[in-house]
Amino acid sequence: MKCCPCDSRNPNGQLAHTVQEILTTSGPDRWWQSSKGVNPVTLQLDLNNLFQLDNLVLSFKGPRPSSLVIERTLDNGQTWQPALYLAKNCEEAFPGVQTTTPLSLEQIYCHTLHPYENPYQEETIEFSPLRQYTFAPASNSQKIEDKSGFTGLRVTLTELGDVPHLPGRSLSKFFALKEMRVMGTCMCHGHADRCLPEEYSNLNSNIIQVNPVCDCKHNTAGINCERCADFYNDLPWRSAEEENTHTCKRNVTSMSLNIYTVSQIISQSFCLPQSEL
């Protein structure tokens, strides 16, 4: 009930309020809260590995923001690409961003947030990278390949939400988030149907940690099955599609050359000059 400055540079300090405080294991009565009257505010999740995002759920404590933007990175934060804009008034919050459903994978749009039914009501916002491209003329595998991969997420809360006006009292404005739930799987480019199991597990936690390493098939290799396995480079690597797995094929030329070299070595070993025998 009594607010104090937050400083998480020392996670064990009395003023620390780390990301663990907004996880479900911390209970429903705890949440992250920004400084009063400050916007924009950025929340960033770094994963340091490539994953496939299925769904992002933001559960706000009290009124949701009036506008925000969700971004993703594929290179561990070196560059960021907007994935979705959301606003109560898209034209005003993000001028120049289209407000109609995308008809191609190159388009990004702004989704109009529904009006508040109750200013005191806690709000939830869900984001699915594939749902917004329902009408884009592309295969599901291409949509996953182009839009679902991420090594990190960034949510920028750009405008504070409205609060009720009470006679003789001015309520504070701030962002407050109860939970940020990220659901997905390892990114395997269609060359695996499961992630390798974790080497360890926390039995005291109800949070499932996804291993970034794929159980690769189709003669592929790498953490994300992003290359052909050794000696299977007869065709260039490609991500799998619905009608074609693009299985990497054994390098027949290299195999024949190795056999010839071994045979040549054996024949030469039996043809030494008599003076050397």
Side-chain angles (χ1 to χ4, degrees), residues 72-126:
R72 66 178 181 134
T73 178
L74 290 167
D75 51 18
N76 296 310
Q78 295 183 41
T79 59
W80 294 88
Q81 301 87 39
L84 180 65
Y85 296 89
L86 303 101
K88 184 176 64 174
N89 186 328
C90 285
E91 291 82 359
E92 181 180 311
F94 304 110
V97 178
Q98 74 176 59
T99 57
T100 55
T101 304
L103 298 179
S104 72
L105 297 182
E106 291 74 29
Q107 296 177 341
I108 304 295
Y109 90 119
C110 179
H111 173 74
T112 301
L113 297 171
H114 62 79
Y116 292 116
E117 296 180 1
N118 181 350
Y120 294 102
Q121 182 179 351
E122 296 180 355
E123 296 272 352
T124 298
I125 290 177
E126 295 189 26

Side-chain angles (χ1 to χ4, degrees), residues 25-37:
T25 51
S26 299
D29 298 324
R30 309 181 83 175
W31 64 89
W32 168 86
Q33 182 173 311
S34 69
S35 300
K36 297 177 182 179

Side-chain angles (χ1 to χ4, degrees), residues 3 17 20-21 33 38 44 47-49 89 91-92 98 109 114 126 134 172 179 186 214 232-233 241 267 271:
C3 295
H17 195 80
Q20 284 78 13
E21 308 301 330
Q33 182 173 311
V38 175
Q44 185 170 317
L47 296 176
N48 301 318
N49 283 290
N89 186 328
E91 291 82 359
E92 181 180 311
Q98 74 176 59
Y109 90 119
H114 62 79
E126 295 189 26
T134 301
S172 300
E179 183 180 53
C186 50
C214 302
Y232 287 86
N233 297 292
E241 299 174 327
S267 63
C271 298

Side-chain angles (χ1 to χ4, degrees), residues 39-246:
N39 59 252
V41 170
T42 298
L43 304 174
Q44 185 170 317
L45 176 66
D46 299 315
L47 296 176
N48 301 318
N49 283 290
L50 183 63
F51 288 90
Q52 176 184 322
L53 178 65
D54 293 332
N55 205 20
L56 169 67
V57 180
L58 301 172
S59 299
F60 292 95
K61 177 72 173 176
R64 55 164 163 72
S66 291
S67 61
L68 65 152
V69 57
I70 300 172
E71 299 171 284
R72 66 178 181 134
T73 178
L74 290 167
D75 51 18
N76 296 310
Q78 295 183 41
T79 59
W80 294 88
Q81 301 87 39
L84 180 65
Y85 296 89
L86 303 101
K88 184 176 64 174
N89 186 328
C90 285
E91 291 82 359
E92 181 180 311
F94 304 110
V97 178
Q98 74 176 59
T99 57
T100 55
T101 304
L103 298 179
S104 72
L105 297 182
E106 291 74 29
Q107 296 177 341
I108 304 295
Y109 90 119
C110 179
H111 173 74
T112 301
L113 297 171
H114 62 79
Y116 292 116
E117 296 180 1
N118 181 350
Y120 294 102
Q121 182 179 351
E122 296 180 355
E123 296 272 352
T124 298
I125 290 177
E126 295 189 26
F127 164 64
S128 172
L130 298 188
R131 191 180 304 155
Q132 59 184 323
Y133 293 101
T134 301
F135 300 105
S139 64
N140 192 58
S141 60
Q142 185 180 353
K143 293 177 183 179
I144 292 174
E145 192 70 22
D146 290 355
K147 295 299 178 181
S148 289
F150 75 110
T151 60
L153 289 174
R154 187 166 69 182
V155 180
T156 302
L157 312 173
T158 57
E159 185 179 352
L160 292 160
D162 298 326
V163 296
H165 296 282
L166 300 179
R169 184 181 178 188
S170 177
L171 298 180
S172 300
K173 281 188 176 185
F174 50 81
F175 299 111
L177 189 68
K178 291 179 61 178
E179 183 180 53
M180 179 176 176
R181 180 177 295 182
V182 181
M183 290 165 280
T185 184
C186 50
M187 184 65 169
C188 305
H189 305 289
H191 291 301
D193 53 16
R194 74 182 189 110
C195 312
L196 290 176
E198 285 280 10
E199 296 180 358
Y200 63 91
S201 60
N202 186 356
L203 300 178
N204 298 322
S205 174
N206 62 352
I207 297 174
I208 300 174
Q209 180 71 37
V210 178
N211 191 341
V213 182
C214 302
D215 187 10
C216 295
K217 297 181 178 180
H218 308 151
N219 300 326
T220 59
I223 294 177
N224 305 107
C225 309
E226 72 279 6
R227 57 182 173 82
C228 288
D230 293 341
F231 308 114
Y232 287 86
N233 297 292
D234 200 47
L235 292 175
W237 178 92
R238 291 181 62 183
S239 59
E241 299 174 327
E242 281 84 349
E243 304 298 330
N244 193 340
T245 60
H246 294 295

